[in-house]
Amino acid sequence: VDLFKIPKELGLAEAATFSVNPCTAYRMIKDFRTLKPGDTLIQNGANSACGQNAIQLCKAWNINSVNIIRNRPDVDKLKQYLTELGATYVLTEEELRTTNLFKSGQLKKPLLGLNCVGGKNALEVLRHLGPKGAMVTYGGMSRDPVTIPTSAFIFKDIAAYGFWMTRWSKENAKSDARKEMFDDLIQLILSKKLT
């Protein structure tokens, strides 16, 4: 059994869920593109547990996040909640189709897209990625396949990856990267930058 000591100040809920969603968000943001302060990330399923962690990590690292959610009766309340967590923008799927955020230069085109939905939603996220961007798929809530147009590969040099935290953890069980990730996340939780 591989044990990792955590500080007593870490809450029970944080300790119990620590190794799943915070770690998944952390690895996807860190491992697929080097994002600098001022860069942009786009994600669907932004109100999922992993999505909420990604929002907070982006805020802590000064990365802009564009967060896509499904339309619903209480959409304004959800948008407000995600904005309070640190989201730069929260858009419904319909708003994403017509947004001018990137064409206007208001935000840099995203270098990284996180996809937990699949189907048309993933295609829309992919459409907004900048040249040499990457889309990381870690779920398929719609149960529809991820379809990538040939033009995205040829003209924009987009890369597509899959990610599963369980596999990463097994492959990196005793690595410095795992310890560094745990230390970083614990500090963010203790400093109230990650809840």
Side-chain angles (χ1 to χ4, degrees), residues 117-142:
V117 177
K120 289 179 182 174
N121 190 301
L123 180 60
E124 197 60 35
V125 166
L126 181 93
R127 190 172 72 82
H128 290 286
L129 290 177
K132 296 193 180 292
M135 186 167 75
V136 182
T137 296
Y138 67 102
M141 293 187 328
S142 72

mmCIF file of all heavy atoms in Angstrom, residues 117-142:
data_model
loop_
_atom_site.group_PDB
_atom_site.id
_atom_site.type_symbol
_atom_site.label_atom_id
_atom_site.label_comp_id
_atom_site.label_asym_id
_atom_site.label_seq_id
_atom_site.Cartn_x
_atom_site.Cartn_y
_atom_site.Cartn_z
ATOM 1 N N VAL A 117 -17.797 15.605 -22.371
ATOM 2 C CA VAL A 117 -19.149 15.424 -22.906
ATOM 3 C C VAL A 117 -19.145 14.585 -24.180
ATOM 4 O O VAL A 117 -19.893 13.623 -24.310
ATOM 5 C CB VAL A 117 -19.831 16.793 -23.148
ATOM 6 C CG1 VAL A 117 -21.206 16.609 -23.771
ATOM 7 C CG2 VAL A 117 -19.940 17.567 -21.838
ATOM 8 N N GLY A 118 -18.314 14.944 -25.149
ATOM 9 C CA GLY A 118 -18.295 14.247 -26.433
ATOM 10 C C GLY A 118 -19.301 14.842 -27.399
ATOM 11 O O GLY A 118 -19.884 15.896 -27.158
ATOM 12 N N GLY A 119 -19.509 14.163 -28.524
ATOM 13 C CA GLY A 119 -20.508 14.563 -29.502
ATOM 14 C C GLY A 119 -20.306 15.960 -30.061
ATOM 15 O O GLY A 119 -19.184 16.447 -30.198
ATOM 16 N N LYS A 120 -21.439 16.622 -30.383
ATOM 17 C CA LYS A 120 -21.404 17.955 -30.988
ATOM 18 C C LYS A 120 -20.775 18.979 -30.051
ATOM 19 O O LYS A 120 -20.137 19.926 -30.490
ATOM 20 C CB LYS A 120 -22.819 18.399 -31.359
ATOM 21 C CG LYS A 120 -23.392 17.639 -32.526
ATOM 22 C CD LYS A 120 -24.797 18.102 -32.835
ATOM 23 C CE LYS A 120 -25.368 17.278 -33.992
ATOM 24 N NZ LYS A 120 -26.774 17.584 -34.244
ATOM 25 N N ASN A 121 -20.965 18.797 -28.763
ATOM 26 C CA ASN A 121 -20.399 19.727 -27.784
ATOM 27 C C ASN A 121 -18.870 19.730 -27.882
ATOM 28 O O ASN A 121 -18.240 20.784 -27.893
ATOM 29 C CB ASN A 121 -20.861 19.325 -26.381
ATOM 30 C CG ASN A 121 -20.529 20.346 -25.335
ATOM 31 O OD1 ASN A 121 -19.363 20.668 -25.142
ATOM 32 N ND2 ASN A 121 -21.543 20.848 -24.650
ATOM 33 N N ALA A 122 -18.278 18.545 -27.964
ATOM 34 C CA ALA A 122 -16.816 18.449 -28.086
ATOM 35 C C ALA A 122 -16.338 19.078 -29.391
ATOM 36 O O ALA A 122 -15.308 19.752 -29.423
ATOM 37 C CB ALA A 122 -16.379 16.991 -28.012
ATOM 38 N N LEU A 123 -17.084 18.878 -30.459
ATOM 39 C CA LEU A 123 -16.731 19.455 -31.755
ATOM 40 C C LEU A 123 -16.730 20.981 -31.678
ATOM 41 O O LEU A 123 -15.840 21.646 -32.220
ATOM 42 C CB LEU A 123 -17.712 18.981 -32.831
ATOM 43 C CG LEU A 123 -17.480 19.506 -34.246
ATOM 44 C CD1 LEU A 123 -16.106 19.111 -34.775
ATOM 45 C CD2 LEU A 123 -18.583 18.994 -35.169
ATOM 46 N N GLU A 124 -17.684 21.537 -30.954
ATOM 47 C CA GLU A 124 -17.769 22.997 -30.806
ATOM 48 C C GLU A 124 -16.584 23.523 -29.995
ATOM 49 O O GLU A 124 -16.011 24.559 -30.318
ATOM 50 C CB GLU A 124 -19.096 23.369 -30.144
ATOM 51 C CG GLU A 124 -19.477 24.803 -30.291
ATOM 52 C CD GLU A 124 -19.647 25.270 -31.736
ATOM 53 O OE1 GLU A 124 -20.121 24.489 -32.590
ATOM 54 O OE2 GLU A 124 -19.289 26.424 -32.012
ATOM 55 N N VAL A 125 -16.199 22.806 -28.952
ATOM 56 C CA VAL A 125 -15.012 23.185 -28.163
ATOM 57 C C VAL A 125 -13.775 23.157 -29.061
ATOM 58 O O VAL A 125 -12.979 24.095 -29.087
ATOM 59 C CB VAL A 125 -14.846 22.248 -26.941
ATOM 60 C CG1 VAL A 125 -13.468 22.397 -26.309
ATOM 61 C CG2 VAL A 125 -15.941 22.515 -25.910
ATOM 62 N N LEU A 126 -13.638 22.088 -29.815
ATOM 63 C CA LEU A 126 -12.498 21.914 -30.717
ATOM 64 C C LEU A 126 -12.418 23.043 -31.751
ATOM 65 O O LEU A 126 -11.338 23.526 -32.063
ATOM 66 C CB LEU A 126 -12.613 20.559 -31.420
ATOM 67 C CG LEU A 126 -11.476 20.222 -32.368
ATOM 68 C CD1 LEU A 126 -10.425 19.419 -31.618
ATOM 69 C CD2 LEU A 126 -11.980 19.437 -33.554
ATOM 70 N N ARG A 127 -13.563 23.479 -32.246
ATOM 71 C CA ARG A 127 -13.624 24.524 -33.270
ATOM 72 C C ARG A 127 -12.984 25.830 -32.798
ATOM 73 O O ARG A 127 -12.440 26.585 -33.587
ATOM 74 C CB ARG A 127 -15.094 24.761 -33.638
ATOM 75 C CG ARG A 127 -15.314 25.637 -34.835
ATOM 76 C CD ARG A 127 -16.789 25.639 -35.234
ATOM 77 N NE ARG A 127 -17.642 26.382 -34.323
ATOM 78 C CZ ARG A 127 -17.803 27.700 -34.352
ATOM 79 N NH1 ARG A 127 -17.151 28.436 -35.224
ATOM 80 N NH2 ARG A 127 -18.618 28.293 -33.498
ATOM 81 N N HIS A 128 -12.993 26.072 -31.502
ATOM 82 C CA HIS A 128 -12.465 27.326 -30.962
ATOM 83 C C HIS A 128 -10.982 27.255 -30.583
ATOM 84 O O HIS A 128 -10.393 28.274 -30.240
ATOM 85 C CB HIS A 128 -13.302 27.769 -29.758
ATOM 86 C CG HIS A 128 -14.674 28.214 -30.144
ATOM 87 N ND1 HIS A 128 -14.928 29.414 -30.756
ATOM 88 C CD2 HIS A 128 -15.865 27.585 -30.041
ATOM 89 C CE1 HIS A 128 -16.217 29.525 -30.993
ATOM 90 N NE2 HIS A 128 -16.816 28.427 -30.579
ATOM 91 N N LEU A 129 -10.385 26.067 -30.626
ATOM 92 C CA LEU A 129 -8.969 25.949 -30.273
ATOM 93 C C LEU A 129 -8.096 26.695 -31.274
ATOM 94 O O LEU A 129 -8.373 26.708 -32.470
ATOM 95 C CB LEU A 129 -8.537 24.488 -30.232
ATOM 96 C CG LEU A 129 -9.083 23.635 -29.088
ATOM 97 C CD1 LEU A 129 -8.603 22.191 -29.242
ATOM 98 C CD2 LEU A 129 -8.687 24.190 -27.736
ATOM 99 N N GLY A 130 -7.033 27.280 -30.760
ATOM 100 C CA GLY A 130 -6.071 27.956 -31.614
ATOM 101 C C GLY A 130 -5.125 26.958 -32.268
ATOM 102 O O GLY A 130 -5.127 25.764 -31.941
ATOM 103 N N PRO A 131 -4.273 27.437 -33.182
ATOM 104 C CA PRO A 131 -3.290 26.575 -33.837
ATOM 105 C C PRO A 131 -2.404 25.859 -32.812
ATOM 106 O O PRO A 131 -2.004 26.451 -31.817
ATOM 107 C CB PRO A 131 -2.465 27.548 -34.677
ATOM 108 C CG PRO A 131 -3.369 28.721 -34.895
ATOM 109 C CD PRO A 131 -4.213 28.816 -33.654
ATOM 110 N N LYS A 132 -2.145 24.596 -33.068
ATOM 111 C CA LYS A 132 -1.342 23.728 -32.198
ATOM 112 C C LYS A 132 -1.988 23.506 -30.824
ATOM 113 O O LYS A 132 -1.341 23.134 -29.861
ATOM 114 C CB LYS A 132 0.087 24.248 -32.042
ATOM 115 C CG LYS A 132 0.869 24.251 -33.337
ATOM 116 C CD LYS A 132 2.346 24.461 -33.090
ATOM 117 C CE LYS A 132 3.125 24.470 -34.378
ATOM 118 N NZ LYS A 132 3.180 23.211 -35.059
ATOM 119 N N GLY A 133 -3.296 23.736 -30.764
ATOM 120 C CA GLY A 133 -4.026 23.471 -29.529
ATOM 121 C C GLY A 133 -4.209 21.977 -29.316
ATOM 122 O O GLY A 133 -3.917 21.162 -30.196
ATOM 123 N N ALA A 134 -4.686 21.626 -28.137
ATOM 124 C CA ALA A 134 -4.919 20.223 -27.804
ATOM 125 C C ALA A 134 -6.275 20.077 -27.133
ATOM 126 O O ALA A 134 -6.666 20.920 -26.324
ATOM 127 C CB ALA A 134 -3.831 19.708 -26.868
ATOM 128 N N MET A 135 -6.978 19.001 -27.470
ATOM 129 C CA MET A 135 -8.200 18.660 -26.760
ATOM 130 C C MET A 135 -7.971 17.352 -26.017
ATOM 131 O O MET A 135 -7.520 16.370 -26.602
ATOM 132 C CB MET A 135 -9.403 18.528 -27.678
ATOM 133 C CG MET A 135 -10.682 18.316 -26.865
ATOM 134 S SD MET A 135 -12.205 18.512 -27.814
ATOM 135 C CE MET A 135 -12.201 16.980 -28.731
ATOM 136 N N VAL A 136 -8.287 17.381 -24.724
ATOM 137 C CA VAL A 136 -8.114 16.206 -23.876
ATOM 138 C C VAL A 136 -9.500 15.702 -23.483
ATOM 139 O O VAL A 136 -10.286 16.428 -22.871
ATOM 140 C CB VAL A 136 -7.302 16.548 -22.602
ATOM 141 C CG1 VAL A 136 -7.091 15.299 -21.759
ATOM 142 C CG2 VAL A 136 -5.969 17.187 -22.976
ATOM 143 N N THR A 137 -9.790 14.464 -23.838
ATOM 144 C CA THR A 137 -11.076 13.857 -23.502
ATOM 145 C C THR A 137 -10.890 12.961 -22.289
ATOM 146 O O THR A 137 -10.035 12.071 -22.284
ATOM 147 C CB THR A 137 -11.619 13.055 -24.697
ATOM 148 O OG1 THR A 137 -11.873 13.969 -25.774
ATOM 149 C CG2 THR A 137 -12.900 12.323 -24.339
ATOM 150 N N TYR A 138 -11.712 13.224 -21.260
ATOM 151 C CA TYR A 138 -11.630 12.425 -20.033
ATOM 152 C C TYR A 138 -12.992 11.867 -19.617
ATOM 153 O O TYR A 138 -13.136 11.278 -18.550
ATOM 154 C CB TYR A 138 -11.006 13.248 -18.895
ATOM 155 C CG TYR A 138 -11.840 14.411 -18.415
ATOM 156 C CD1 TYR A 138 -12.572 14.307 -17.232
ATOM 157 C CD2 TYR A 138 -11.893 15.603 -19.116
ATOM 158 C CE1 TYR A 138 -13.340 15.364 -16.782
ATOM 159 C CE2 TYR A 138 -12.649 16.664 -18.670
ATOM 160 C CZ TYR A 138 -13.367 16.537 -17.487
ATOM 161 O OH TYR A 138 -14.133 17.595 -17.047
ATOM 162 N N GLY A 139 -13.975 12.047 -20.469
ATOM 163 C CA GLY A 139 -15.306 11.506 -20.200
ATOM 164 C C GLY A 139 -16.134 11.573 -21.464
ATOM 165 O O GLY A 139 -15.738 12.171 -22.461
ATOM 166 N N GLY A 140 -17.320 10.948 -21.407
ATOM 167 C CA GLY A 140 -18.213 10.930 -22.561
ATOM 168 C C GLY A 140 -19.662 10.947 -22.129
ATOM 169 O O GLY A 140 -20.417 10.031 -22.435
ATOM 170 N N MET A 141 -20.049 11.987 -21.404
ATOM 171 C CA MET A 141 -21.389 12.044 -20.810
ATOM 172 C C MET A 141 -22.505 11.944 -21.851
ATOM 173 O O MET A 141 -23.567 11.404 -21.565
ATOM 174 C CB MET A 141 -21.551 13.312 -19.964
ATOM 175 C CG MET A 141 -20.671 13.293 -18.738
ATOM 176 S SD MET A 141 -20.904 14.629 -17.547
ATOM 177 C CE MET A 141 -21.386 16.023 -18.497
ATOM 178 N N SER A 142 -22.307 12.449 -23.052
ATOM 179 C CA SER A 142 -23.356 12.385 -24.079
ATOM 180 C C SER A 142 -23.459 10.990 -24.691
ATOM 181 O O SER A 142 -24.446 10.672 -25.344
ATOM 182 C CB SER A 142 -23.085 13.396 -25.188
ATOM 183 O OG SER A 142 -21.990 12.976 -25.984
#
